[in-house]
Amino acid sequence: MVRIGNQKYSFKELWKVKKSMVLAICSPKKFINFLKVKYSKIKKSPKVYGLPYSIFMETSSYCNLRCPMCLKLQKNCKFDNKNISLDEYRRIMNQLGPTMLTLRLWNYGEPLINKDIFEMIKIAKEYKIFTVLSTNGVLMDKETSRKLLESGLDFLVISFDGASKETYEKNRKHGTFEVVLKNVQDFMDLKKQMKKNDILVSIQFIIMNTNENEVEKIKEIADRFGADKLMLRVLNVVSKKSSKLLPKNKDYGIIEKESVKKTNFCSNVWEETVINSTGIVTPCCMDAALEYPFGNAFSEDFKAIWNNAKYTEFREKILQNINQIKICNEYCYKKDNRINFIE
């Protein structure tokens, strides 16, 4: 097993996407930028000498579901309801594409609502970027699945937080169990027909007290789909109201806030960034309410934002005492500087 970011991957899983990984790593410009970022992190410099090599891009902040575990809903935040345009996307890619290794095309919206998503993936592949998309699967009809498979996408994550109709539709409000079940199976069948063997497909299952008794069943469903991976993810609770969702079985690795080992450091603000659908740049995906805006990538040069006074001050605060930052201390559920998945 190899750990990359927050997850462990088998050599078999990595072998499927070997071509895209090699193309990204073998670019001299990308590799030099990677070393600059790593050096800045090791040196613990508030100023980063390279550009972020991993990007979260919220291509759409519209969402067709209202899931109780969503941080937006937990914090009573409004959805911006905006799609990134191709012009806005190209502006970002022109600046960050040559040095970017990984692009994650989601944040708090459903990316498939943006009809330009397929062209966005193709553009990312022109820059030899390893491209990941996470979807709730509701809009994955056969035509959408075909376009996804033809786009060159490297890694597809499908959120499936219930192994029965009752549980799924409770956790994925406005979703229909049978529709998503069929969509995923149709995608996997089409993938086989098109001989698209170089895309990694994962089912993601957030464990809550509503579905903790269905872990074995979701394993069976993932196997039946022929998914490459099943990601069992811990629940992140940021409000008292949502604490009722916590699972009762502690064997699933659910960690209370008080027991999280404080590392007094977070690599995110050296290595990656989040660009929201409105262009607002924030430190990480935990900032659902955009409490820490550093600038707007649609109207400002990203290089200037990356090392401006707000961003460097934020890094300085992390180095001094990470607990003084609200989103790190109250919202983040990292353990040992990694998001906790159940092995």
Side-chain angles (χ1 to χ4, degrees):
M1 299 294 284
V2 176
R3 182 176 285 279
I4 301 176
N6 302 317
Q7 270 278 287
K8 283 185 177 180
Y9 297 88
S10 68
F11 287 106
K12 181 180 179 181
E13 290 164 356
L14 294 177
W15 187 253
K16 291 186 68 106
V17 290
K18 60 186 182 299
K19 182 178 178 181
S20 293
M21 292 181 71
V22 168
L23 286 173
I25 294 169
C26 288
S27 164
K29 194 167 187 177
K30 293 178 189 287
F31 186 66
I32 291 170
N33 180 75
F34 174 82
L35 293 178
K36 285 180 178 179
V37 172
K38 288 294 185 183
Y39 175 75
S40 304
K41 189 181 76 169
I42 293 169
K43 190 180 178 183
K44 294 188 176 180
S45 168
K47 179 180 178 180
V48 185
Y49 302 119
L51 291 168
Y53 55 76
S54 181
I55 309 293
F56 266 102
M57 184 90 74
E58 188 180 55
T59 50
S60 178
S61 53
Y62 289 95
C63 194
N64 49 348
L65 302 185
R66 288 296 181 267
C67 310
M69 63 284 194
C70 174
L71 295 195
K72 282 276 190 187
L73 297 186
Q74 286 193 50
K75 298 176 72 175
N76 295 316
C77 300
K78 292 182 178 180
F79 288 82
D80 290 314
N81 291 342
K82 181 185 181 299
N83 288 331
I84 287 183
S85 70
L86 273 177
D87 286 343
E88 291 167 336
Y89 179 81
R90 285 193 177 98
R91 174 186 169 86
I92 302 302
M93 295 304 292
N94 287 340
Q95 296 179 68
L96 297 176
T99 52
M100 196 188 308
L101 292 174
T102 305
L103 176 62
R104 288 172 279 188
L105 292 164
W106 77 91
N107 195 22
Y108 286 104
E110 167 52 47
L112 293 181
I113 289 177
N114 190 329
K115 299 304 180 184
D116 291 323
I117 190 67
F118 315 105
E119 183 64 23
M120 290 175 174
I121 296 169
K122 290 176 182 178
I123 291 170
K125 297 311 297 177
E126 290 174 5
Y127 285 95
K128 297 179 174 61
I129 297 167
F130 188 86
T131 309
V132 191
L133 185 141
S134 180
T135 176
N136 56 41
V138 173
L139 302 177
M140 279 178 53
D141 56 27
K142 288 186 178 180
E143 181 61 23
T144 298
S145 292
R146 182 176 295 278
K147 288 180 178 179
L148 273 178
L149 288 164
E150 291 173 344
S151 69
L153 183 69
D154 297 300
F155 191 0
L156 178 67
V157 179
I158 305 167
S159 297
F160 209 99
D161 300 313
S164 66
K165 179 177 176 63
E166 180 183 3
T167 304
Y168 176 86
E169 293 179 7
K170 185 173 184 178
N171 293 335
R172 291 277 162 178
K173 191 175 179 182
H174 303 322
T176 304
F177 181 69
E178 294 87 354
V179 168
V180 180
L181 202 66
K182 183 179 186 302
N183 285 350
V184 178
Q185 191 59 64
D186 285 349
F187 176 87
M188 298 304 291
D189 291 343
L190 189 60
K191 174 178 173 291
K192 188 175 182 180
Q193 291 172 23
M194 295 174 66
K195 298 181 180 179
K196 293 289 185 177
N197 300 317
D198 55 353
I199 176 173
L200 195 64
V201 180
S202 177
I203 302 299
Q204 179 171 273
F205 188 83
I206 300 175
I207 300 184
M208 298 167 272
N209 61 17
T210 53
N211 64 10
E212 61 183 313
N213 63 336
E214 295 185 346
V215 171
E216 292 305 314
K217 194 172 181 181
I218 196 65
K219 289 179 181 178
E220 293 174 6
I221 290 176
D223 286 341
R224 191 163 72 241
F225 284 148
D228 301 296
K229 194 173 187 65
L230 172 64
M231 300 192 299
L232 299 176
R233 187 168 179 172
V234 303
L235 173 69
N236 189 22
V237 170
V238 300
S239 68
K240 290 182 180 179
K241 175 185 175 184
S242 300
S243 61
K244 63 183 180 181
L245 295 172
L246 284 168
K248 297 177 176 63
N249 190 342
K250 300 301 179 181
D251 292 339
Y252 290 134
I254 305 306
I255 300 170
E256 302 292 345
K257 298 289 183 186
E258 293 76 16
S259 70
V260 175
K261 180 180 178 182
K262 298 297 181 181
T263 60
N264 205 38
F265 186 74
C266 181
S267 58
N268 280 21
V269 289
W270 276 265
E271 299 173 346
E272 64 181 57
T273 197
V274 175
I275 301 173
N276 292 277
S277 66
T278 55
I280 297 295
V281 177
T282 51
C284 74
C285 59
M286 292 295 103
D287 193 4
L290 309 187
E291 296 174 64
Y292 295 89
F294 297 137
N296 193 304
F298 297 158
S299 57
E300 303 171 61
D301 181 71
F302 184 85
K303 290 181 181 179
I305 296 172
W306 185 234
N307 281 311
N308 66 16
K310 286 184 177 180
Y311 229 136
T312 52
E313 182 183 354
F314 190 87
R315 296 188 190 105
E316 285 172 352
K317 284 184 177 180
I318 283 179
L319 294 170
Q320 292 163 5
N321 181 9
I322 196 170
N323 294 326
Q324 67 182 302
I325 300 173
K326 188 176 180 181
I327 59 170
C328 303
N329 187 39
E330 297 182 21
Y331 307 150
C332 191
Y333 61 143
K334 284 191 171 185
K335 181 184 181 184
D336 301 330
N337 201 30
R338 296 188 181 102
I339 291 179
N340 190 34
F341 285 85
I342 296 167
E343 303 296 348

